[in-house]
Amino acid sequence: MNWFVEVLKKYAVFSGRARRTEYWMFTLIYTVIAIVLTVVDMAVIGSNVLVPILTVALFLPGLGVTIRRLHDTGRTGWWVLISIVPLVGLIVMLIFLCADGEDTNKYGPNPKFVPAHA
């Protein structure tokens, strides 16, 4: 949960780098919250209102952590636009997001060697 909160603290930060753990823990917790909200939404309210609100609220933090993750692999944040290409774009992004980060690059030092929670 600390990784999720760290991403929320960096709400609209698009510079720097993000470790794989930071990105994937944010994605995991976001997915769990979305599933829980879907179940609650359908059982209690009977419509699909809560998940779109969550999606809008977490759009910038999600975009920020994705761009920082791309920076960690030595790529510019503009690579996020490859996701627009059907199927191939999503596969390319998945490979980029799963790749190990570089040592020091133009986006900063390797976040593996920086304390995660100070």
Side-chain angles (χ1 to χ4, degrees):
M1 193 66 172
N2 289 334
W3 292 107
F4 189 79
V5 173
E6 284 296 316
V7 170
L8 293 181
K9 286 180 184 177
K10 299 176 187 175
Y11 190 80
V13 176
F14 300 104
S15 61
R17 297 170 65 168
R19 294 177 61 180
R20 278 185 292 195
T21 307
E22 181 179 357
Y23 176 81
W24 289 110
M25 290 306 288
F26 174 80
T27 303
L28 174 69
I29 294 170
Y30 172 83
T31 303
V32 169
I33 291 171
I35 290 169
V36 168
L37 285 179
T38 300
V39 170
V40 168
D41 214 5
M42 296 311 242
V44 176
I45 301 173
S47 66
N48 194 11
V49 177
L50 298 178
V51 175
I53 292 171
L54 175 72
T55 302
V56 169
L58 296 182
F59 175 75
L60 282 179
L63 182 63
V65 75
T66 303
I67 289 173
R68 290 193 310 272
R69 179 70 202 121
L70 288 169
H71 286 173
D72 190 42
T73 61
R75 293 173 180 85
T76 179
W78 288 104
W79 273 102
V80 78
L81 295 176
I82 193 95
S83 300
I84 296 171
V85 179
L87 189 61
V88 174
L90 294 176
I91 292 170
V92 169
M93 273 301 290
L94 183 63
I95 291 169
F96 287 170
L97 295 173
C98 290
D100 193 18
E102 296 179 339
D103 288 334
T104 302
N105 64 20
K106 66 181 180 178
Y107 300 106
N110 191 339
K112 282 186 181 179
F113 306 122
V114 178
H117 305 287

